[in-house]
Amino acid sequence: MNRFPVIIDCDPGVDDTAALLLASRLEELDIRAITTVAGNVGVDKTTANAIKVRHAMGKDVPIFMGADRPMFREAVTAEKFHGSDGFGGVAYPKEIINTEIGEEKAWDAIYRIAKECNGELIIIAVGPMTNLGIAFSKYKDLPSLIKRVVIMGGAAIGGNVTPSAEFNIYVDPEGADMLFCSGVPVYMCGLDVTLKAYMTAEEIEEIGAFGSFQAKLFRDVLQGGLKKYLGWGYKGVALHDPVAVLYTVDDSIFETHHVGIRVETKGQLTCGKTVTDLYSDKQMEHNAYIITDINREAFIEKVKTLMAKF
């Protein structure tokens, strides 16, 4: 099997936790680093959560702390959804083997690893794009060293933090727009597809019943989000970040379109909106890809299969 090198840039976060657990069981992924960023909660907490999940992953992956706020804006967080600790209030055993993190900043580690990978590096970015924006600003040759970036963020239609913007893009729209303008192929797994990738209460319990520590952690961290999604009228909790992870390995169960994407950074009502030409007669430069649909049944089976490996 040809394994490919990846960095997972994230802001754990309950669905980030699920995504990292799944990524650790994907044999195709050679996880070179986890980089953390402020988003769902502050970067100190997202890094602490990444350390917890690394332990659960059973892999000694280096962790590098990144930006503690957006490039040009005040921080926006999502404690109301992820809990004040960003971990859904789930207690984690204190016997964590390795609490060390790398001394490099996330953007420096991204550049170093990209050079080491000779153009084969894939970045899975499931938090605000601040680390990537800083990396592109600091290292002008970085775009030529990255094979592609798969993100969870944005939407062709709608939003979840405002009527027009998805959270990860809204938090740092300038960083996100720098990514889309970088020349690196960007694959956007936004709300168009992630809201279709939901898991019902019964399906979550089925995973918990596998009995492993990781399966129970997967079940427990999703409970708060599940309650909120059911209260909003959905059939289950959306597995936003796992979509990006699974898409990276196998796009056959997804629908993908080559499109133009930019991010609105100035609009009073539309700041953070990912503007695409997917449904437009007026075409933009096709600089990215947008994922719009998913075979949910196949996705859920893949999640179950991976979690059963623990």
Side-chain angles (χ1 to χ4, degrees), residues 69-90:
R69 59 187 179 277
M71 293 184 73
F72 304 107
R73 298 172 183 266
E74 296 298 319
V76 177
T77 55
E79 283 92 346
K80 288 184 179 180
F81 185 86
H82 294 268
S84 60
D85 60 354
F87 213 61
V90 175

Side-chain angles (χ1 to χ4, degrees), residues 1 13 46 59 70 78 106 112 169 178 198 206 219 222 224 230:
M1 176 182 294
T46 64
K59 293 181 178 291
R112 173 180 54 80
I169 306 297
M178 290 175 68
Y198 63 87
E206 185 177 340
R219 175 196 63 198
L222 291 176
L230 293 177

Side-chain angles (χ1 to χ4, degrees), residues 34-281:
I34 296 168
T35 52
T36 60
V37 66
N40 290 322
V41 288
V43 72
D44 289 344
K45 291 180 180 179
T46 64
T47 304
N49 292 338
I51 290 171
K52 297 173 187 175
V53 184
R54 175 176 62 185
H55 177 249
M57 291 166 68
K59 293 181 178 291
D60 193 20
V61 180
I63 294 173
F64 301 95
M65 185 185 294
D68 62 356
R69 59 187 179 277
M71 293 184 73
F72 304 107
R73 298 172 183 266
E74 296 298 319
V76 177
T77 55
E79 283 92 346
K80 288 184 179 180
F81 185 86
H82 294 268
S84 60
D85 60 354
F87 213 61
V90 175
Y92 197 89
K94 294 183 179 180
E95 303 84 41
I96 297 176
I97 298 171
N98 178 13
T99 60
E100 293 183 3
I101 65 171
E103 294 182 0
E104 289 176 287
K105 298 300 291 185
W107 43 87
D108 295 325
I110 288 170
Y111 181 67
R112 173 180 54 80
I113 295 169
K115 291 183 70 176
E116 293 170 355
C117 293
N118 298 313
E120 293 300 311
L121 179 66
I122 295 173
I123 297 177
I124 305 173
V126 294
M129 312 303 156
T130 311
N131 290 338
L132 293 176
I134 295 173
F136 288 133
S137 298
K138 186 172 182 179
Y139 301 105
K140 300 305 181 184
D141 61 332
L142 179 58
S144 66
L145 301 174
I146 298 175
K147 188 171 185 178
R148 61 174 172 153
V149 178
V150 182
I151 73 168
M152 187 282 125
I157 299 174
N160 62 358
V161 68
T162 75
S164 58
E166 179 276 331
F167 177 82
N168 283 343
I169 306 297
Y170 178 83
V171 168
D172 194 341
E174 287 83 7
D177 197 47
M178 290 175 68
L179 171 61
F180 284 113
C181 293
S182 68
V184 177
V186 180
Y187 292 75
M188 186 176 91
C189 301
L191 300 178
D192 314 281
V193 64
T194 62
L195 288 175
K196 299 173 184 175
Y198 63 87
M199 182 167 270
T200 67
E202 293 76 18
E203 290 163 343
I204 293 172
E205 287 301 324
E206 185 177 340
I207 288 180
F210 291 162
S212 67
F213 170 77
Q214 293 85 353
K216 293 176 182 177
L217 176 63
F218 182 99
R219 175 196 63 198
D220 293 346
V221 298
L222 291 176
Q223 291 305 307
L226 174 65
K227 183 178 180 180
K228 287 183 170 60
Y229 269 93
L230 293 177
W232 295 331
Y234 290 93
K235 296 179 181 179
V237 60
L239 298 185
H240 297 290
D241 295 347
V243 169
V245 168
L246 268 62
Y247 182 88
T248 301
V249 171
D250 180 11
D251 62 7
S252 66
I253 64 171
F254 298 90
E255 182 177 315
T256 306
H257 300 271
H258 195 193
V259 297
I261 304 178
R262 290 291 306 276
V263 180
E264 176 58 62
T265 62
K266 304 295 184 183
Q268 189 172 17
L269 299 177
T270 57
C271 187
K273 177 177 176 58
T274 43
V275 180
T276 86
D277 60 2
L278 178 62
Y279 302 112
S280 172
D281 292 334

